[in-house]
């Protein structure tokens, strides 16, 4: 007869005690979750906490699971079991037996026997009640009520939180799309290993950056950065850039056109023509080197840029030699010149052939499309958050799209056009040529705007340039809708609506209370003029370009986040700094 | 001492028999009888306090008879001298040797001594009881005499008629294992008492046990184990009666002048063991401690002026202390 038998007889009680412990532990963990979530929900009134509901659900679930897990280890110890059983009517028999477990005296044995008899006699399990933790249950109820109440209190922080949520959702969704596109590229395309690796690396980097992104700006920046990186792989774009660079100069204009026509024969002819012009001394090697140098700067593909740079160096060497000898083109130099131009021809032919043979354009096309879509969606998140900003965004988008002569259909058009590589390119062009377009079609309007309200000039330019006849009239801004848009349709005709003010005019004294400066204009008075030939710049005030660029970029990024300007305008600013970088 | 199962199990039966036999002569007072028996079996002396006529003397007399013990009764009066209690040397004339001193034992040389109205004797006589009660010996003229075993003093005192009394000093009170209050009988009990004592019915008492058996029971009871938490409970209760200790309750600090001596702890544990045995257990429980705490401590706790002026009793204090202790121990 030993204590183990007694403990064995106490097992039903032990199980019931364990059950009670589980109940208490779970209630404690839920009430802890309640306390945390209540604190969080009230904190969310002051600072934005995205996905609060999800967090609350997660915390409750985690705490419950944790409570259950912990309670698994909360099986009552023998000492506790003994004390409880003694309190249930065993009158310290168990604790005495426990202490005397190693003793074999008659009294100890009798005591153990008596204890076992009593344990079997008394139904301890039924005597031990499962205690429902009322206080904890009440605490949980109170926490839930307080948490629920907090959901009905509107604060700006909650608005911000929902903005972040929308952004995160969009980013996640777009990340999935990008990953899908990358997987498709991996599965279907027959790219070079290095190209494929580059794409994979860049998408991975993009994924990381997007996951880290807390603002729309961060996300878009990451997308632009990766897009620029991927552009380097796109030979079509590289050739387009080269084509544009060549077209800028008369002497290489034909070469540009040949690239545009994608004709190797035309390239050969253009090179031959160049050679002839150089032989006839119409073009100097130095001039050609300078043009090629500028063209090389446009190319982002390192391999081709390097080759073009070498040709440029060859031409510069020839030029230096000619200047040093002071003679006309000598036979040796001519051969070198021929060789350089041959190299140029070979390079362009190589690029052309590579572009035609490469599958990367097709592969990147899909990825571009996804990324453009991502950018568009992320931009939309921001634009849909503020109704004030929304109108401005639509108008501006219309204006921008309208420069290509297309009827703008709001931001969706941006998305659609973004999907197309060529459309995207033209979209960029239109943005950069915005002012020119406006002056063509809406010059008159522009003048009237600037005289009355500078702040609306961009909006009105967009309307004029759009030519879609959807010109909006903003009475608040002082427009009557009589100005004609570029498309010949009267602005505001049939579409005159009351829009919310995008920009609030900030006049001194307001619209109804003009201010006047007293006094009379006279010819008297003195004024002095100083002619400054050079701006007096102190030493140390000029900083290298690369040192200030990042600062300017950051400042601009911060400003466009805060300022109420249309999302498409933000795109322009972003693109500008991206191009600088 | 070699124990066996039968001996241990016999204890409860013997006590039950004693109680049953005493009940023939005593109406009601069951709790008092049990407490007196516990005190006797623990080898201690009891102080019975109650108004006259409640059957104190009768109880002690009956116990003596039922247990088969030699019983003597000393009526304490102010002129009672110590020699009248413990005995004295007297000159005995012998024809051959002439006169010589011989010790003439007093009434204390009994197994059960009823010290009736002990507070009426002078302190000198009261103190003569000290050695006998504590050491179970008496010393007369440089000679120490062993008192018969077992030896118990059952003293009585009257809570009223305090005039011309000498309250027992603290040291002497401490020698009593229990101080028991003799309650007034209920209506039914009173009726039975009156019927029994005014009629011709004679109750015959039987000797249920003897001194040897009693000594054995006393030995057995000492073997009853006390678990550590139970022992701590008793000791904390003792410490809680001392206003200067960390265990002191608020009520202790406020109303108690002196707390119980270690004899109080000894009294609680030794009597709790007996009580456990009588309850058919082989271990001491918290309830045994609670049960014995009142008679063991009520005469060992001394209230201060505030306590006395508030009309508090030591039993009330003990109740509070037990409640507090139970709360601490989550019992």
């Amino acid at each position: 007869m030993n204590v183990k038998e007694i403990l064995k007889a106490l097992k039903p009680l032990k199980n019931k005690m364990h059950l009670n412990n589980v109940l208490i532990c779970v209630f404690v963990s839920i009430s802890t979750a309640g306390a945390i979530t209540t604190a969080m929900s009230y904190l969310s009134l002051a600072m934005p906490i995205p996905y609060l509901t999800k967090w609350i659900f997660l915390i409750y679930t985690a705490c419950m699971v944790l409570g259950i897990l912990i309670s698994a280890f909360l099986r009552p110890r023998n000492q506790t079991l003994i004390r409880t059983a003694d309190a249930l009517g065993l009158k310290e028999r168990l604790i005495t037996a426990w202490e005397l477990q190693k003793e074999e005296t008659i009294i100890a044995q009798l005591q153990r026997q008596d204890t076992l008899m009593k344990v079997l006699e008394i139904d301890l399990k039924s005597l031990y009640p499962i205690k429902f933790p009322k206080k904890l249950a009440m605490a949980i109820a109170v926490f839930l009520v307080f948490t629920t109440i907090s959901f009905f209190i509107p604060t700006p922080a909650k608005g911000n939180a929902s903005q972040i949520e929308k952004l995160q959702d969009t980013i996640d969704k777009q990340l999935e799309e990008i990953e899908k596109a990358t997987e498709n590229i991996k599965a279907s395309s027959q790219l070079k290993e290095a190209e494929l690796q580059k794409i994979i690396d860049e998408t991975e980097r993009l994924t990381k950056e997007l996951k880290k992104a807390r603002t729309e700006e961060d996300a878009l920046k990451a997308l632009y950065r990766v897009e620029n990186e991927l552009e380097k792989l796109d030979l079509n774009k590289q050739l387009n850039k080269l084509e544009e660079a060549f077209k800028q100069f008369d002497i290489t204009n034909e070469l540009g056109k040949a690239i545009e026509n994608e004709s190797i024969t035309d390239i050969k002819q253009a090179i031959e023509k160049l050679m002839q012009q150089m032989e006839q001394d119409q073009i100097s090697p130095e001039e050609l080197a300078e043009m090629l140098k500028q063209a090389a700067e446009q190319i982002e593909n390192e391999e081709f840029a390097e080759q073009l740079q070498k040709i440029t160096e060859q031409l510069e060497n020839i030029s230096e030699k000619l200047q040093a000898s002071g003679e006309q083109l000598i036979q040796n130099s001519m051969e070198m010149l021929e060789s350089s131009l041959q190299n140029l021809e070979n390079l362009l032919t190589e690029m052309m052939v590579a572009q035609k043979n490469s599958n990367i354009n097709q592969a990147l096309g899909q990825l571009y499309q996804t990324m453009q879509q991502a950018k568009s969606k992320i931009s939309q998140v921001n634009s849909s958050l503020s109704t004030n900003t929304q109108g401005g965004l639509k108008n501006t988008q219309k204006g921008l799209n309208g420069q290509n002569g297309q009827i703008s259909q709001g931001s969706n058009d941006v998305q659609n056009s973004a999907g197309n590589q060529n459309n995207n390119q033209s979209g960029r062009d239109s943005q950069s040529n915005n002012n020119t377009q406006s002056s063509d079609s809406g010059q008159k309007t522009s003048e009237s705007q600037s005289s009355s309200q500078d702040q609306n000039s961009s909006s009105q330019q967009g309307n004029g340039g759009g030519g879609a006849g959807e010109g909006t009239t903003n009475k608040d801004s002082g427009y009557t809708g009589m100005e004609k848009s570029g498309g010949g349709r009267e602005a505001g005709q049939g579409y005159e609506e009351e829009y919310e003010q995008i920009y609030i005019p900030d006049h001194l004294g307001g619209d109804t209370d003009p201010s006047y400066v007293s006094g009379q204009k006279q010819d008297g008075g003195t004024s002095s003029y100083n002619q400054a030939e050079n701006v007096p710049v102190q030493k140390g005030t000029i900083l290298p370009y690369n040192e200030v660029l990042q600062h300017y970029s950051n400042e601009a990024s911060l400003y466009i986040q805060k300022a109420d300007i249309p999302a498409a305008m933000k795109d322009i600013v972003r693109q500008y700094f991206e191009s600088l970088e | 001492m070699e124990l066996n199962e039968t001996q241990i199990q016999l204890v409860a039966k013997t006590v039950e028999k004693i109680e049953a036999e005493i009940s023939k002569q005593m109406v009601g007072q069951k709790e008092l009888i049990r407490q007196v028996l516990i005190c006797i079996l623990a080898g201690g002396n009891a102080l019975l306090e109650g108004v006259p006529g409640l059957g104190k003397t009768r109880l002690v007399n009956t116990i003596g008879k039922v247990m088969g013990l030699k019983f003597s009764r000393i009526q304490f009066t102010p002129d009672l001298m110590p020699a009248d209690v413990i005995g004295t040397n007297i000159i005995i004339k012998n024809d051959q040797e002439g006169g010589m001193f011989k010790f003439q034992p007093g009434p204390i040389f009994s197994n059960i001594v009823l010290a009736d109205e002990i507070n009426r004797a002078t302190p000198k006589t009261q103190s003569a009881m000290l050695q006998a009660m504590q050491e179970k010996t008496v010393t007369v003229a440089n000679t120490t005499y062993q008192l018969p075993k077992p030896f118990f003093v059952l003293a009585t005192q009257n809570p009223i008629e305090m005039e011309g009394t000498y309250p027992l000093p603290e040291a002497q009170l401490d020698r009593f294992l229990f101080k028991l209050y003799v309650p007034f009988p209920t209506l039914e009990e009173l009726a039975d008492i009156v019927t029994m004592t005014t009629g011709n019915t004679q109750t015959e008492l039987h000797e249920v046990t003897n001194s040897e058996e009693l000594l054995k029971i006393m030995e057995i009871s000492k073997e009853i184990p006390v678990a550590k938490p139970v022992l701590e409970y008793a000791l904390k209760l003792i410490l809680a009666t001392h206003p200067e200790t960390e265990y002191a309750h608020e009520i202790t600090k406020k109303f108690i002048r002196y707390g119980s001596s270690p004899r109080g702890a000894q009294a609680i544990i030794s009597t709790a063991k007996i009580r456990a045995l009588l309850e058919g257990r082989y271990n001491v429980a918290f309830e045994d401690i609670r049960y014995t705490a009142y008679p063991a401590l009520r005469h060992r706790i001394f209230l201060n002026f505030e306590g006395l002026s508030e009309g508090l009793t030591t039993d009330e204090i003990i109740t509070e202390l037990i409640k507090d202790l139970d709360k601490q121990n989550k019992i």
Side-chain angles (χ1 to χ4, degrees):
Chain A
M1 168 66 167
N2 56 32
V3 181
K4 280 182 185 172
E5 284 179 54
I6 299 169
L7 291 176
K8 203 176 167 185
L10 288 170
K11 214 170 180 183
L13 175 68
K14 195 173 187 176
N15 290 338
K16 204 167 179 187
M17 284 172 71
H18 189 198
L19 188 68
N20 203 33
N21 287 352
V22 170
L23 195 70
I24 291 167
C25 189
V26 168
F27 268 79
V28 166
S29 54
I30 294 174
S31 57
T32 310
I36 296 168
T37 52
T38 308
M40 267 181 81
S41 57
Y42 280 90
L43 196 66
S44 74
L45 300 179
M47 60 179 279
I49 301 177
Y51 304 110
L52 182 66
T53 324
K54 277 184 190 172
W55 274 110
I56 288 173
F57 180 72
L58 195 74
I59 289 168
Y60 267 104
T61 314
C63 283
M64 263 179 76
V65 171
L66 200 69
I68 291 166
L69 285 175
I70 290 169
S71 65
F73 299 99
L74 289 179
R75 201 158 169 78
R77 291 180 302 153
N78 284 336
Q79 296 276 359
T80 321
L81 174 70
I82 284 166
R83 279 188 67 176
T84 311
D86 274 341
L88 290 173
L90 285 175
K91 296 181 179 176
E92 289 64 64
R93 280 182 173 89
L94 280 167
I95 185 72
T96 313
W98 182 259
E99 285 185 7
L100 297 177
Q101 59 182 307
K102 286 175 186 169
E103 283 190 26
E104 289 302 327
T105 57
I106 290 170
I107 196 87
Q109 284 174 12
L110 278 172
Q111 204 276 330
R112 281 199 286 268
Q113 268 179 15
D114 174 53
T115 307
L116 183 62
M117 208 174 72
K118 277 282 169 189
V119 168
L120 295 171
E121 193 181 295
I122 301 171
D123 186 8
L124 294 167
K125 197 183 160 189
S126 64
L127 289 173
Y128 184 80
I130 292 282
K131 291 172 197 163
F132 181 74
K134 282 181 197 168
K135 283 182 185 174
L136 287 172
M138 277 175 68
I140 292 165
V142 168
F143 284 136
L144 282 173
V145 168
F146 274 97
T147 309
T148 314
I149 289 168
S150 76
F151 279 106
F152 293 102
I153 304 170
T155 61
K158 279 191 176 177
N160 290 342
S162 72
Q163 284 179 17
I164 297 169
E165 277 175 27
K166 278 180 188 170
L167 180 67
Q168 286 293 326
D169 287 343
T170 313
I171 286 174
D172 288 345
K173 213 173 176 182
Q174 296 311 315
L175 264 177
E176 275 177 26
E177 294 293 321
I178 289 166
E179 276 171 20
K180 248 187 229 172
T182 315
E183 286 302 317
N184 285 343
I185 290 170
K186 273 189 212 170
S188 60
S189 69
Q190 294 171 336
L191 297 178
K192 288 177 193 171
E193 202 177 321
E195 288 171 343
L196 188 62
Q197 193 55 45
K198 174 86 176 167
I199 291 170
I200 292 166
D201 288 348
E202 288 304 327
T203 45
E204 277 175 5
R205 189 179 155 201
L206 177 67
T207 309
K208 278 180 194 168
E209 285 181 10
L210 284 181
K211 277 180 181 170
K212 280 182 195 169
R214 300 298 299 162
T215 61
E216 174 216 359
E217 283 309 311
D218 295 342
L220 289 174
K221 236 179 176 180
L223 279 164
Y224 277 117
R225 195 177 297 133
V226 173
E227 201 180 60
N228 282 344
E229 285 299 317
L230 290 176
E231 265 183 17
K232 290 176 187 175
L233 292 174
D234 191 346
L235 289 176
N236 193 24
K237 286 202 174 179
Q238 301 299 317
L239 278 170
N240 282 345
K241 285 184 178 177
L242 209 56
E243 172 205 321
E244 280 170 25
F246 283 153
K247 274 184 179 174
Q248 282 178 12
F249 307 101
D250 291 339
I251 49 173
T252 51
N253 192 24
E254 268 188 47
L255 201 54
K257 281 177 182 170
I259 294 168
E260 189 182 14
N261 295 335
E262 297 182 1
S263 164
I264 294 169
T265 324
D266 286 357
I267 290 172
K268 273 185 182 176
Q269 283 175 359
I271 295 283
E272 276 170 15
K273 197 180 174 186
L274 262 179
M275 188 62 200
Q276 281 173 6
Q277 282 175 329
M278 288 177 85
E279 280 173 355
Q280 289 164 9
D281 213 11
Q282 287 174 355
I283 308 165
S284 69
E286 195 183 352
E287 279 176 314
L288 187 60
E290 186 57 37
M291 287 170 205
L292 289 179
K293 201 176 182 181
Q294 285 184 29
E297 282 170 5
Q298 298 292 318
I299 297 178
E300 288 158 339
N301 187 302
E302 286 170 9
E303 190 188 338
F304 293 124
E306 201 178 321
Q307 285 185 39
L308 204 58
Q309 192 64 37
K310 273 182 188 172
I311 296 166
T312 312
E313 281 168 13
Q314 281 176 359
L315 288 169
E316 279 174 349
N317 282 341
I318 295 165
S319 171
E320 277 172 18
K321 277 180 186 173
L322 283 174
Q323 281 177 3
S325 62
E327 294 171 17
Q328 295 295 311
L329 286 171
I330 52 169
Q331 190 58 34
N332 193 21
S333 300
M334 282 303 292
E335 281 173 10
M336 282 170 71
L337 201 59
E338 264 181 44
S339 162
S340 299
L341 288 175
Q342 189 59 47
N343 285 343
L344 179 62
E345 186 188 324
N346 289 344
L347 171 66
L348 293 174
T349 313
E350 194 187 333
M351 282 177 80
M352 205 78 89
V353 171
Q355 183 244 334
K356 279 178 182 167
N357 294 337
S358 176
N359 294 316
I360 197 159
N361 293 344
Q362 195 186 348
L364 287 176
Q366 197 184 353
L367 196 59
Y368 277 144
Q369 197 173 345
T370 317
M371 285 172 66
Q372 293 295 343
Q373 200 177 342
K375 277 195 284 184
S376 170
K377 293 267 181 193
I378 291 167
S379 297
Q380 276 177 30
V381 171
N382 192 42
S383 59
S384 64
L385 298 172
S386 162
T387 49
N388 285 349
T389 320
Q390 200 170 22
L393 172 68
K394 277 188 180 175
N395 288 339
T396 314
Q397 292 281 22
K398 282 173 191 170
L400 287 169
N401 290 333
Q403 285 169 6
N404 285 330
Q406 295 171 349
I407 296 171
S408 168
Q409 293 180 8
S411 55
N412 285 335
D413 279 8
V414 177
Q415 185 187 333
N416 294 335
S417 64
N420 188 311
Q421 203 175 318
N422 293 326
N423 285 351
N424 179 52
Q425 186 63 39
S426 58
R428 284 185 183 193
D429 292 345
S430 66
Q431 284 166 12
S432 59
N433 296 327
N434 192 18
N435 290 333
T436 321
Q437 293 277 351
S438 302
S439 61
D440 290 346
S441 55
Q443 185 62 47
K444 204 174 178 181
T445 319
S446 265
E447 284 170 12
S448 64
Q449 284 164 17
S450 58
S451 61
S452 59
Q453 182 55 266
D454 285 345
Q455 284 181 328
N456 283 296
S457 61
S458 65
S459 172
Q460 194 61 24
Q461 279 170 5
N463 293 330
E470 282 189 353
T472 56
T473 301
N474 193 338
K475 285 181 179 177
D476 293 335
S477 306
Y479 294 113
T480 56
M482 296 307 290
E483 293 89 353
K484 281 191 177 180
S485 67
R489 190 172 169 181
E490 277 190 358
Q493 195 176 35
Y495 287 95
E496 193 171 311
E497 287 180 43
E498 283 293 334
Y499 283 94
E500 288 180 55
Q501 271 193 322
I502 302 166
Y503 304 109
I504 300 163
D506 192 15
H507 298 300
L508 183 66
D511 291 335
T512 55
D513 187 18
S515 302
Y516 300 98
V517 179
S518 59
Q520 207 173 357
K521 191 182 173 186
Q522 289 180 339
D523 293 333
T526 55
S527 55
S528 61
Y529 299 92
N530 286 320
Q531 188 72 33
E533 287 182 358
N534 291 314
V535 178
V537 179
Q538 288 179 349
K539 200 179 177 184
T541 53
I542 295 174
L543 288 168
Y545 177 75
N546 57 352
E547 281 184 25
V548 293
L549 178 64
Q550 192 58 41
H551 176 69
Y552 278 27
S553 174
N554 290 341
E555 285 293 318
S557 176
L558 281 173
Y559 182 74
I560 59 175
Q561 276 179 44
K562 289 177 194 169
D564 286 336
I565 57 169
M569 286 298 173
K570 291 182 181 181
D571 282 345
I572 295 169
V573 178
R574 265 184 229 115
Q575 281 167 10
Y576 171 70
F577 281 103
E578 283 296 327
S579 65
L580 290 179
E581 279 171 7
Chain B
M1 183 192 169
E2 271 301 309
L3 284 176
N4 61 53
E5 200 177 327
T6 326
Q7 281 177 332
I8 296 167
Q9 284 165 351
L10 208 69
V11 174
K13 283 179 185 169
T14 310
V15 175
E16 271 174 32
K17 277 184 197 170
I18 296 169
E19 281 179 330
E21 203 60 28
I22 293 170
S23 300
K24 288 181 185 171
Q25 195 74 12
M26 294 293 297
V27 178
Q29 313 279 25
K30 287 198 183 299
E31 204 52 50
L32 178 71
I33 295 166
R34 171 148 282 219
Q35 285 176 338
V36 171
L37 285 177
I38 288 171
C39 182
I40 289 170
L41 293 174
N45 311 294
L47 176 64
L48 302 172
E49 191 174 286
V51 292
L54 291 181
K56 296 187 289 284
T57 312
R58 192 185 181 94
L59 170 68
V60 178
N61 205 351
T62 311
I63 287 171
K65 279 180 189 170
V66 170
M67 287 183 167
L69 302 173
K70 194 182 168 191
F71 165 76
S72 63
R73 177 176 187 263
I74 308 164
Q75 184 64 48
F76 278 63
T77 54
D79 59 349
L80 187 76
M81 298 305 288
D84 299 332
V85 176
I86 59 174
T88 185
N89 288 326
I90 54 168
I91 299 169
I92 295 174
K93 281 192 178 174
N94 193 321
D95 294 338
Q96 293 166 355
E97 295 172 14
M100 62 174 287
F101 280 102
K102 190 185 175 191
F103 178 66
Q104 183 63 43
I108 204 164
F109 283 84
S110 273
N111 292 113
I112 298 179
V113 176
L114 172 63
D116 216 359
E117 294 193 89
I118 194 168
N119 57 337
R120 294 211 173 270
T122 57
K124 186 179 179 181
T125 311
Q126 284 172 1
S127 64
M129 299 287 287
L130 278 177
Q131 190 186 6
M133 286 165 73
Q134 185 64 37
E135 294 165 22
K136 322 281 184 190
T137 56
V138 288
T139 304
V140 178
N142 294 328
T143 308
T144 301
Y145 301 94
Q146 189 72 41
L147 292 169
K149 282 185 181 174
F151 174 80
F152 317 108
V153 173
L154 299 176
T156 68
Q157 68 175 13
N158 192 343
I160 55 172
E161 294 181 55
M162 297 300 286
E163 209 170 316
T165 60
Y166 300 92
L168 291 168
E170 282 83 354
Q172 197 163 342
L173 276 174
D174 202 25
R175 260 80 175 168
F176 288 102
L177 197 69
F178 272 4
K179 179 183 179 183
L180 302 168
Y181 292 131
V182 185
F184 199 85
T186 59
L187 182 67
E188 290 79 22
E189 288 170 352
L190 195 59
D192 287 345
I193 291 167
V194 172
T195 313
M196 189 191 284
T197 51
T198 54
N200 287 322
T201 317
Q202 288 292 317
T203 315
E204 197 180 332
L205 289 173
H206 297 284
E207 201 178 296
V208 175
T209 182
N210 53 45
S211 57
E212 282 174 11
E213 244 181 47
L214 279 175
L215 287 170
K216 204 170 272 177
I217 291 171
M218 287 161 78
E219 286 297 316
I220 289 168
S221 71
K222 284 175 187 169
E223 295 291 322
I224 299 296
V226 185
K228 210 176 169 187
V230 181
L231 184 67
E232 273 180 14
Y233 181 85
L235 301 181
K236 278 180 184 171
L237 182 60
I238 297 298
L239 289 171
T241 63
H242 288 265
E244 71 279 2
T245 62
E246 58 177 308
Y247 301 97
H249 187 258
E250 279 304 306
I251 200 169
T252 309
K253 289 176 185 166
K254 200 170 178 188
F255 299 117
I256 294 181
R257 183 156 53 104
Y258 300 120
S260 166
S261 71
R263 281 200 188 98
Q266 288 168 351
I268 288 173
I269 295 298
S270 59
T271 52
K273 284 179 175 183
I274 304 287
R275 206 253 176 181
L277 212 51
L278 299 188
E279 292 288 318
R281 266 184 281 116
Y282 299 98
N283 64 285
V284 177
F286 289 120
E287 68 166 43
D288 297 325
I289 305 293
R290 281 187 218 113
Y291 181 85
T292 56
Y294 290 93
L297 296 183
R298 60 169 66 111
H299 57 294
R300 289 186 166 97
I301 294 171
F302 299 96
L303 300 178
N304 59 17
F305 176 75
E306 268 188 76
L308 292 169
S309 59
E310 290 275 336
L312 283 174
T313 62
T314 48
D315 278 14
E316 286 168 345
I317 302 261
I318 293 165
T319 305
E320 282 301 311
L321 298 181
I322 286 173
K323 268 188 198 169
D324 183 52
L325 212 53
D326 285 350
K327 208 172 169 183
Q328 284 176 31
N329 288 285
K330 294 173 187 169
I331 299 166

